Amino acid sequence: SAVISQKPSRDICQRGTSLTIQCQVDSQVTMMFWYRQQPGQSLTLIATANQGSEATYESGFVIDKFPISRPNLTFSTLTVSNMSPEDSSIYLCSVDGGQRSSYNEQFFGPGTRLTVL
Amino acid sequence: AQRVTQPEKLLSVFKGAPVELKCNYSYSGSPELFWYVQYSRQRLQLLLRHISRESIKGFTADLNKGETSFHLKKPFAQEEDSAMYYCALETGANNLFFGTGTRLTVIP
């Protein structure tokens, strides 16, 4: 499986500020994904981050609010901009299994727990 | 639109008892379904996928297209099975849609 790390693991932020979450993978991957898990809710895909092209956002998520960078095949960042308490969630990075998986398995990072006051 | 439904948020069973975690889906295309599991203080990880028809840690799941279900089953629950279980539907391009999850507690 892939080794995925996220920074920070958790943070408490003030309303109106922005936070950038980093995701690092131990090997090159084609696709990286960002999910959100709000309290008591399921995981929801925010966007797919592709190296060399703009991220693809799911319905309900926009680039101005969640800008994503993918400078290379092992790293991505998600920024939560102009935060409000409703953005309090766990944010997870995942990657496609590629050659490590026979099927379309995704490997998940440990998540970043964000609390917005 | 696609949808994944896990009707039980919480499920408790005694050790040694059979367990079934329900999952129903709605999708117009050809479904690819997965079960992901998150043990306490661990990251989310794949448990099994329907296409491989495998048994992992004693768990199996059969895709029933007629009933649009993908229930997860184990004949004899163990304490280490206590975890959060998510059913997920892949709709293409690696996009996964998750159910709301079922927290399984196995009582010693």
Side-chain angles (χ1 to χ4, degrees), chain A residues 53-107:
Chain A
S53 62
E54 203 168 88
T56 305
Y57 288 83
E58 297 300 309
S59 175
F61 299 96
V62 294
I63 189 170
D64 290 345
K65 176 66 176 177
F66 297 102
I68 287 172
S69 78
R70 181 83 193 273
N72 56 53
L73 292 174
T74 64
F75 186 78
S76 178
T77 67
L78 169 75
T79 299
V80 186
S81 304
N82 188 24
M83 288 183 285
S84 66
E86 292 72 35
D87 293 321
S88 297
S89 291
I90 297 173
Y91 291 86
L92 295 113
C93 168
S94 76
V95 305
D96 70 281
Q99 294 182 347
R100 285 165 294 205
S101 175
S102 301
Y103 306 103
N104 294 331
E105 177 180 359
Q106 289 187 21
F107 298 105

Side-chain angles (χ1 to χ4, degrees), chain B residues 33-46:
Chain B
L33 286 143
F34 304 80
W35 276 98
Y36 279 80
V37 61
Q38 188 168 26
Y39 300 102
S40 178
R41 299 185 180 181
Q42 295 187 29
R43 66 189 63 193
L44 192 65
Q45 59 187 287
L46 179 68

